[in-house]
Amino acid sequence: VRLRESRGGAVTSGGSLTLSCTASEDSVDNFCMGWFRQIPGKERERVASIDGDGRPLYRESVKGRFTISQDNAKNTLYFQMSRLVPEDTAMYYCAARPRSGGNCFGEYVWGQGTQVTVSS
């Protein structure tokens, strides 16, 4: 699978932004999809993902503010981010790992990343 994120952007604190990730060469339905982020000098962290049974999982700091969703017909993963704060500033990556029988396994495949900047 190949993943391509939409362009990120710069918003002020409290603003909203929606990212999308379009897959090619395979169907997102065959993968457990997720969004990760990374700031320079720190490890990449999972922000939200969809598990093998289709349930969304969120990092504690974004619960109630971010929503992950998947449109299999459009082969696209979405990430609606609201009430953004400066601490959400990072490079955001779409990721996919194979899914089978309700389980996720194997290595992640990554998109190229897209920058989100939140100013105070």
Side-chain angles (χ1 to χ4, degrees):
V1 66
R2 288 178 176 267
L3 305 173
R4 186 174 183 86
E5 296 98 339
S6 60
R7 182 171 293 186
V11 298
T12 55
S13 186
S16 300
L17 198 62
T18 296
L19 303 178
S20 62
C21 171
T22 302
S24 59
E25 300 184 10
D26 207 332
S27 171
V28 294
D29 198 29
N30 294 327
F31 296 88
C32 295
M33 304 295 295
W35 288 97
F36 289 68
R37 66 188 180 189
Q38 188 173 24
I39 61 175
K42 290 203 170 183
E43 289 190 3
R44 194 170 296 186
E45 63 183 25
R46 182 170 60 184
V47 187
S49 60
I50 299 174
D51 72 10
D53 293 317
R55 292 171 299 201
L57 304 169
Y58 297 96
R59 188 175 190 83
E60 192 64 34
S61 62
V62 307
K63 283 182 180 178
R65 299 191 296 124
F66 293 6
T67 302
I68 187 172
S69 62
Q70 181 173 317
D71 187 333
N72 292 339
K74 295 183 177 180
N75 221 25
T76 300
L77 179 73
Y78 297 98
F79 204 32
Q80 297 172 282
M81 302 183 288
S82 63
R83 288 184 281 147
L84 285 158
V85 296
E87 290 73 26
D88 295 319
T89 295
M91 184 73 77
Y92 283 72
Y93 296 88
C94 173
R97 57 191 301 207
R99 182 176 72 95
S100 178
N103 296 308
C104 310
F105 60 95
E107 298 293 320
Y108 278 108
V109 173
W110 300 95
Q112 81 282 2
T114 188
Q115 179 68 36
V116 172
T117 302
V118 185
S119 59
S120 58

